[in-house]
Amino acid sequence: TQFDFVGWTSGSGIANYSEREYWQVLTAEQYLLNTTADFLPPVGDYLPIGRPYPDVAMLAHNFVVEVFGAGEQLVDGTSASSPAFSGLISRLNSVRLNNGCPPLGLFGPLMYKMYQDCPTCFVDLTVGCSNSTENGDCPSDVKAYCATTGYDVIYGLGLPNYGEMSNYIRRDCLTRKKNGMFKTIVFG
């Protein structure tokens, strides 16, 4: 099985109705400046200051879940990827707590900072296109958005690399503790 490309249209693009978050501004501006018209939908099909999505790529096909009273079932899409990503964040919180630091808090700003500071924290995926915008499907001869090197609106920051993210979180935690940026938390 190959997991390094978009196998079907997923939620991706630039929102028409919500503006980008402050932590997305730099990556979104760089993406739009460095992306050719061939990799964007027609002007008017997206809001140039809109919120780009997704933030990251996750596996989202044929996840086996246990449904109470119904046994194992396969799920796809955000029903699969959102709980998996939440689990990853929970494990990163454990790294902080086990090193005497407070929980992560709002993860978006940290994740985009991590992308800038730690190139190996995300695996860059560069193949795949979407044929849809919030306005609907594009004509058959038009691609809405295509993946490119670095941040893009097909895969966001890329596929999270838990091992590298965990190392980044641990180093950040220990540096902040050493510099007195927060008090040590002791459980028990």
Side-chain angles (χ1 to χ4, degrees), residues 89-101 162 165-171 173:
I89 294 170
S90 179
R91 290 187 64 193
L92 293 175
N93 257 326
S94 292
V95 169
R96 296 244 322 184
L97 295 172
N98 289 336
N99 283 282
C101 296
Y162 173 77
M165 292 172 90
S166 177
N167 290 336
Y168 178 91
I169 293 295
R170 185 181 47 75
R171 281 190 309 269
C173 168

Side-chain angles (χ1 to χ4, degrees), residues 2-10 12 39 57 123-130 143 145-156 158:
Q2 188 173 2
F3 296 111
D4 60 351
F5 70 99
V6 172
W8 64 89
T9 298
S10 61
S12 62
F39 283 52
V123 177
D124 190 18
L125 306 173
T126 60
V127 177
C129 293
S130 169
K143 299 258 192 259
Y145 302 99
C146 289
T148 187
T149 301
Y151 175 86
D152 59 59
V153 297
I154 296 296
Y155 301 110

Side-chain angles (χ1 to χ4, degrees), residues 113-161:
K113 181 179 182 335
M114 188 183 304
Y115 176 76
Q116 297 297 326
D117 294 347
C118 178
T120 57
C121 283
F122 299 91
V123 177
D124 190 18
L125 306 173
T126 60
V127 177
C129 293
S130 169
N131 67 348
S132 301
T133 69
E134 286 186 351
N135 292 338
D137 290 342
C138 294
S140 60
D141 61 333
V142 175
K143 299 258 192 259
Y145 302 99
C146 289
T148 187
T149 301
Y151 175 86
D152 59 59
V153 297
I154 296 296
Y155 301 110
L157 303 172
L159 185 64
N161 178 340

Side-chain angles (χ1 to χ4, degrees), residues 42-119:
V43 176
D45 279 354
Y46 68 96
L47 181 66
I49 60 167
R51 187 188 195 298
Y53 61 98
D55 290 308
V56 294
M58 294 290 289
L59 296 178
H61 183 59
N62 286 340
F63 269 55
V64 179
V65 297
E66 179 73 27
V67 178
F68 183 71
E72 292 182 350
Q73 295 184 0
L74 298 177
V75 296
D76 294 316
T78 54
S79 297
S81 60
S82 291
F85 190 66
S86 295
L88 182 142
I89 294 170
S90 179
R91 290 187 64 193
L92 293 175
N93 257 326
S94 292
V95 169
R96 296 244 322 184
L97 295 172
N98 289 336
N99 283 282
C101 296
L104 292 168
L106 184 61
F107 194 65
L110 174 61
M111 185 169 54
Y112 279 77
K113 181 179 182 335
M114 188 183 304
Y115 176 76
Q116 297 297 326
D117 294 347
C118 178

